[in-house]
């Protein structure tokens, strides 16, 4: 079947994506699409609870590993620290 062959071309198994603003709306849609392709997903939001909730939903729906964290993108030190945490999580 052609459809599954095309999907196989775009698999992201064992890859990691960091989706900022991934707890709601377009960010959540992007994180979901990446997870559907097999990508492990790190989700950030200004709210740690929102990020954790969305990460849990994605993990349960797609069976990928997820990471969640609160992030203020205007705080460069926080961005660097979160990036280090995600790197430590999945390298």
């Amino acid at each position: 079947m052609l459809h599954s062959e095309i999907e196989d071309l775009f698999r992201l198994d064992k890859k990691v994506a960091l989706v900022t603003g991934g707890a709601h709306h377009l960010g959540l849609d992007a994180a979901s699409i990446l997870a559907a392709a097999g990508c492990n997903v790190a989700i950030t939001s200004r709210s740690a609870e929102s990020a954790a909730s969305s990460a849990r939903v994605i993990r349960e729906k797609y069976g990928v590993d997820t990471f969640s964290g609160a992030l203020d993108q205007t705080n460069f030190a926080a961005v660097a620290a979160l990036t280090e945490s995600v790197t430590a999580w999945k390298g």
Side-chain angles (χ1 to χ4, degrees), residues 3-73:
H3 188 264
S4 66
E5 291 174 4
I6 292 172
E7 284 182 359
D8 288 344
L9 290 173
F10 294 97
R11 293 298 304 167
L12 296 172
D13 299 309
K14 299 182 182 177
K15 302 291 184 184
V16 176
L18 171 58
V19 182
T20 60
H24 303 287
H25 309 296
L26 291 175
L28 180 57
D29 291 341
S32 296
I33 290 168
L34 291 163
C39 192
N40 297 309
V41 183
I43 295 174
T44 69
S45 176
R46 287 176 286 179
S47 162
E49 294 82 17
S50 292
S53 176
S54 295
R56 184 179 61 255
V57 168
I58 287 173
R59 183 175 52 253
E60 291 171 356
K61 183 171 184 177
Y62 299 104
V64 298
D65 292 340
T66 59
F67 175 99
S68 64
L71 179 64
D72 174 358
Q73 295 179 22

